[in-house]
Amino acid sequence: MDRKLEKTDEAKRENRLERMRELTATLSKAARVYYQESGEIMSNLEYDRLYDELLALEKETGVVLSGSPTQKVGYEVLSDLPKEAHPTAMLSLDKTKEVAALEEWLGDQAGLLSWKLDGLTIVLTYEGGSLTKAVTRGNGEIGEVITNNARVFENVPLKIGFQGTLTLRGEAVIRYSDFENMNREIDEAQEKYKNPRNLCAGSVRQLNNEITAKRHVNFMAFALVQADGVDFENSRTRQFQWLESLGFGVVEHRHVTRENVAETVAYFAEAVKEYDIPSDGLVLTFEDIAYGESLGRTAKFPRNSIAFKWEDEIRETTLSYIEWSPSRTGLINPVAVFEPVELEGTTVSRASVHNISIMEALELGAGDAITVYKANMIIPQIADNLTRSGVKDIPKICPVCGGDTQIRQVNDVKVLFCVNPQCQAKKIKSFTLFVSRDALNIDGLSEATLEKFIAAGFIKEFADIFHLDEHKEAIISMEGFGQRSYEKLIQAIEDRRHTNLIRVVYGLGVAGIGLANARMLCRHFKYDFDAMREADSETLTEVDGIGQVLADAWREYFADPENQKMVDRLLEQLTLEPVEEEEETGEFAGMTFVVTGSVNHFKNRKELQALIESKGGKATGSVTGKTTYLINNDVTSASSKNKKARELGIPILSEEDFLKLLEGEYHAH
């Protein structure tokens, strides 16, 4: 009997361990997609539910598996930014959804209740009154150095009145209003940014801080780590007041005791509905600094603070159907349409499902009873599927053109594509881009007009625009047209037969090739379009601003024989005029430089590259046979660029060597 009990217990334990392995794999994959690939394969609510289940199993069994997400903090460091270890580990916070738990945790102490902001945690260091370093939280142990990016945050002071060493932590955030304004300028659904948090993470970790500067990143301080020689009289409140006096934005906070925690939480719960900064809860910290620090820490959590997660308002409803919305690049986006419900004071009836992976995780089918909520009390999401009838309505044909669809795996996420290159949904947006101001710039061809002409069969490819006069009578008889409108349109088209190659390359709409990329391609290939479209991947990546992804997209476009024929027919209709380029003059005229590694004498690599270009040289990203010099302060390193430079016999210069070259004093070793 005892042996049977032992076997039963052993079986139960093995089942629990197997479930823990499943949860660890599922959560780790979801975290990787979210933090590293800016995608989603499950909702935040579902992630929290599975995380809590894993945590409970770990406590029950006393086992923590290798790679468990309960033992990790933040994203893994993968970019090319410099890395740096934090002096002390940056821990996540223990959390609760119960106000009573906050009251019990606080006890007889006073505390500060503040927003838990949903961005990217940053550590700033100041020495002698100047910002000297900014490091991301990273994985809690090692972060990425993003000092140059922090310098262009909208509200980070570069100089402060305090001359000692100051270290503080805060959250880099992008406001909802700025996020919406940026998305408003993007036509394509699949190209829009998913949420402010992902956009912020990508913006903060850019290698080019010019991109960061355009993203309206703000910094809100939430903790002071070190301020040499300043007496804060053991008060967190005084720390915040002092930081504000130096010019820092500080997270909104309120003084609380056990007696007023509940009403203060209620205040924040009401305020979050209109709050412009993404927040996923609150943080309660002891006002008494010494008391909080005396409590120490657990393996993962500090004991001087606790997070409060919003108890989401969840409503049950019925999924009516999944709406599939095709776009210019072929991606077909699923949107759940359900019976309207009231959530957080508004009526909602739609929620993005993002992709097929999320649909499969929810086993989502029309007619299912589902629960919905607003993530961070803002964005409608599906919380759960109560009936789970299964995914059964992924369209096999595109709802717009009737062409075949295809399920593809992109960065661990299943997505649906229309594979018909003639799809009208693709063409309308493609033609809108083609006639836009920075491309062919044809007045009178609005998206609505293009849609009419495409539906009527007048336009099937770009060259057809220049044959619209063949449909004169039909166009004049269309609603909104007449003789005069027709004549103005035809004249506008005729005027644009004379254009330049930059406009044409941009207007083709090759994925990721913007106006600046089009200009760099044309310059690099000296306006030889045939050389440009026949270039191999290695040659394309020599072009400044063209990485492997863009090179692959370019080659894929021109690997299609139909695209080649279509472009040829277009070029027959155009007269390409030369683009006047400034003559290269200066000390570095005819020279090509590659700059890699950290720099000491310049603010950043961009500043050094700008100096090279101001002297007539070119600054590119890849070492090739055309490279004149590689600049790398670590001259003897075994990096791939150093290795390639040595193989090609290209001199490797330190910054000091470069400065001597600038003065005409450099002599090769």
Side-chain angles (χ1 to χ4, degrees):
M1 183 67 179
D2 288 345
R3 193 169 297 172
K4 286 183 179 179
L5 284 174
E6 284 178 14
K7 287 187 176 180
T8 301
D9 289 343
E10 186 177 332
K12 286 181 179 178
R13 179 178 173 81
E14 185 53 42
N15 288 339
R16 288 195 291 266
L17 289 173
E18 182 58 33
R19 177 58 178 162
M20 289 167 65
R21 293 186 191 100
E22 292 175 2
L23 290 169
T24 296
T26 300
L27 291 168
S28 296
K29 180 177 178 180
R32 183 178 68 253
V33 171
Y34 183 77
Y35 286 113
Q36 297 170 14
E37 299 165 6
S38 295
E40 287 186 62
I41 58 174
M42 66 174 64
S43 69
N44 290 339
L45 200 70
E46 177 71 1
Y47 184 92
D48 286 345
R49 185 182 69 77
L50 296 179
Y51 183 97
D52 289 343
E53 181 186 349
L54 177 59
L55 195 62
L57 285 169
E58 288 177 346
K59 289 179 179 177
E60 182 182 346
T61 62
V63 174
V64 177
L65 298 174
S66 173
S68 170
T70 67
Q71 303 303 303
K72 295 183 177 181
V73 181
Y75 59 84
E76 292 298 320
V77 178
L78 292 179
S79 79
D80 292 328
L81 291 164
K83 313 299 186 296
E84 181 169 301
H86 296 295
T88 56
M90 296 184 65
L91 305 176
S92 58
L93 298 180
D94 200 0
K95 65 180 186 293
T96 182
K97 290 190 175 184
E98 303 293 333
V99 175
L102 293 182
E103 294 170 341
E104 181 180 349
W105 182 88
L106 192 57
D108 295 330
Q109 292 289 319
L112 289 183
L113 193 63
S114 60
W115 294 114
K116 183 177 181 292
L117 301 179
D118 192 16
L120 197 69
T121 300
I122 306 292
V123 186
L124 301 182
T125 301
Y126 289 77
E127 300 278 359
S130 297
L131 175 64
T132 57
K133 188 164 56 181
V135 184
T136 67
R137 179 187 193 171
N139 62 10
E141 300 287 343
I142 299 172
E144 295 164 313
V145 180
I146 50 98
T147 311
N148 290 324
N149 293 340
R151 293 182 192 280
V152 298
F153 288 178
E154 292 204 332
N155 65 336
V156 165
L158 301 181
K159 299 280 186 181
I160 58 175
F162 178 65
Q163 297 301 303
T165 298
L166 168 64
T167 306
L168 68 156
R169 294 174 180 171
E171 200 81 354
V173 293
I174 291 178
R175 298 176 183 275
Y176 281 117
S177 54
D178 289 325
F179 172 76
E180 288 162 3
N181 286 337
M182 283 184 271
N183 262 350
R184 200 171 289 124
E185 297 174 0
I186 302 172
D187 290 333
E188 288 304 306
Q190 85 285 356
E191 293 175 3
K192 291 180 185 288
Y193 303 117
K194 294 294 186 292
N195 55 57
R197 194 267 170 209
N198 283 359
L199 174 59
C200 183
S203 302
V204 166
R205 300 166 67 202
Q206 287 289 329
L207 295 177
N208 180 355
N209 70 356
E210 287 185 13
I211 297 174
T212 308
K214 296 175 183 176
R215 300 284 178 81
H216 305 287
V217 180
N218 281 261
F219 175 83
M220 306 297 290
F222 60 67
L224 192 154
V225 179
Q226 178 185 2
D228 289 349
V230 183
D231 182 9
F232 297 107
E233 300 176 10
N234 201 34
S235 166
R236 293 281 181 197
T237 301
R238 291 189 182 280
Q239 287 185 336
F240 279 151
Q241 291 170 343
W242 183 73
L243 287 173
E244 285 181 312
S245 73
L246 292 177
F248 291 100
V250 172
V251 65
E252 181 185 352
H253 52 281
R254 299 216 159 195
H255 194 273
V256 293
T257 62
R258 180 165 50 189
E259 285 68 32
N260 71 343
V261 166
E263 66 183 70
T264 309
V265 169
Y267 157 77
F268 280 108
E270 186 62 30
V272 75
K273 297 174 185 177
E274 304 296 330
Y275 195 45
D276 199 27
I277 298 176
S279 166
D280 56 359
L282 304 172
V283 174
L284 181 58
T285 304
F286 289 116
E287 165 70 7
D288 186 321
I289 298 171
Y291 175 77
E293 291 179 350
S294 72
L295 299 176
R297 50 170 279 186
T298 67
K300 190 179 181 187
F301 306 121
R303 289 195 172 101
N304 66 345
S305 299
I306 187 171
F308 174 80
K309 302 281 282 185
W310 301 116
E311 190 70 61
D312 298 293
E313 182 181 356
I314 297 177
R315 293 284 181 268
E316 185 175 335
T317 184
T318 302
L319 178 66
S320 302
Y321 58 92
I322 297 291
E323 179 181 283
W324 297 88
S325 176
S327 59
R328 175 165 63 93
T329 59
L331 183 65
I332 307 178
N333 303 287
V335 177
V337 181
F338 45 82
E339 293 296 321
V341 290
E342 290 289 320
L343 276 179
E344 312 292 351
T346 62
T347 302
V348 295
S349 60
R350 300 164 63 86
S352 175
V353 192
H354 301 298
N355 53 60
I356 294 172
S357 294
I358 290 180
M359 290 181 65
E360 290 179 342
L362 289 168
E363 301 174 75
L364 200 60
D368 278 339
I370 60 173
T371 55
V372 293
Y373 72 108
K374 283 187 176 180
N376 295 348
M377 304 177 79
I378 300 290
I379 304 167
Q381 298 277 299
I382 296 177
D384 199 3
N385 183 3
L386 305 179
T387 49
R388 295 183 175 265
S389 64
V391 176
K392 53 183 178 287
D393 48 8
I394 298 175
K396 294 184 178 179
I397 62 170
C398 171
V400 169
C401 71
D404 291 339
T405 63
Q406 184 181 91
I407 296 174
R408 298 178 183 173
Q409 195 89 9
V410 179
N411 291 335
D412 292 325
V413 174
K414 286 184 182 179
V415 291
L416 186 67
F417 278 87
C418 171
V419 296
N420 175 19
Q422 307 305 317
C423 178
Q424 287 186 6
K426 299 178 184 181
K427 284 184 171 296
I428 290 169
K429 293 298 183 183
S430 296
F431 282 110
T432 301
L433 173 68
F434 182 77
V435 303
S436 66
R437 183 184 61 187
D438 291 329
L440 271 289
N441 193 22
I442 301 176
D443 288 334
L445 278 179
S446 66
E447 186 167 318
T449 300
L450 284 168
E451 193 168 3
K452 288 180 182 178
F453 290 174
I454 290 169
F458 302 161
I459 299 176
K460 295 183 175 66
E461 59 179 74
F462 296 139
D464 293 338
I465 289 175
F466 299 95
H467 295 295
L468 284 174
D469 55 349
E470 298 173 4
H471 308 283
K472 177 179 178 180
E473 297 305 320
I475 292 174
I476 290 174
S477 65
M478 281 184 170
E479 184 179 352
F481 271 91
Q483 181 72 32
R484 188 174 177 183
S485 297
Y486 166 80
E487 289 174 355
K488 286 179 64 177
L489 173 62
I490 296 301
Q491 187 58 54
I493 292 171
E494 288 301 310
D495 290 344
R496 294 299 178 260
R497 285 185 183 272
H498 292 264
T499 187
N500 64 56
L501 188 59
I502 295 173
R503 288 179 175 274
V504 173
V505 170
Y506 170 62
L508 293 178
V510 179
I513 303 296
L515 186 60
N517 300 129
R519 183 176 290 110
M520 294 306 296
L521 279 165
C522 290
R523 286 177 178 173
H524 183 86
F525 288 95
K526 297 183 172 21
Y527 295 86
D528 182 344
F529 184 66
D530 286 336
M532 197 185 307
R533 63 176 168 178
E534 292 168 8
D536 59 24
S537 182
E538 184 177 356
T539 306
L540 287 166
T541 55
E542 291 176 19
V543 181
D544 191 23
I546 303 295
Q548 193 61 53
V549 172
L550 294 185
D552 289 345
W554 180 267
R555 284 175 52 76
E556 183 179 346
Y557 184 90
F558 286 104
D560 185 341
E562 291 304 314
N563 283 344
Q564 292 275 19
K565 293 174 186 176
M566 178 270 293
V567 171
D568 285 337
R569 288 190 289 266
L570 169 63
L571 292 174
E572 288 174 4
Q573 304 300 318
L574 302 175
T575 300
L576 297 182
E577 298 176 339
V579 177
E580 291 187 12
E581 295 281 4
E582 295 181 7
E583 187 178 348
E584 291 183 358
T585 58
E587 298 94 316
F588 297 152
M591 296 185 185
T592 300
F593 293 78
V594 174
V595 183
T596 190
S598 59
V599 292
N600 302 320
H601 295 281
F602 297 87
K603 184 168 65 176
N604 51 38
R605 287 185 295 196
K606 194 73 178 176
E607 186 177 69
L608 173 52
Q609 291 166 342
L611 174 61
I612 290 168
E613 290 171 356
S614 73
K615 301 294 183 182
K618 291 182 180 179
T620 63
S622 302
V623 177
T624 70
K626 296 180 180 179
T627 304
T628 311
Y629 293 107
L630 170 65
I631 301 175
N632 185 354
N633 278 320
D634 194 352
V635 174
T636 61
S637 80
S639 70
S640 59
K641 287 182 179 175
N642 277 24
K643 184 178 179 182
K644 190 162 187 179
R646 292 190 191 99
E647 289 173 354
L648 296 172
I650 295 166
I652 304 172
L653 310 183
S654 66
E655 275 180 274
E656 285 73 16
D657 293 333
F658 170 77
L659 293 172
K660 289 177 183 177
L661 181 69
L662 187 62
E663 298 298 324
E665 299 174 358
Y666 172 74
H667 301 286
H669 303 301

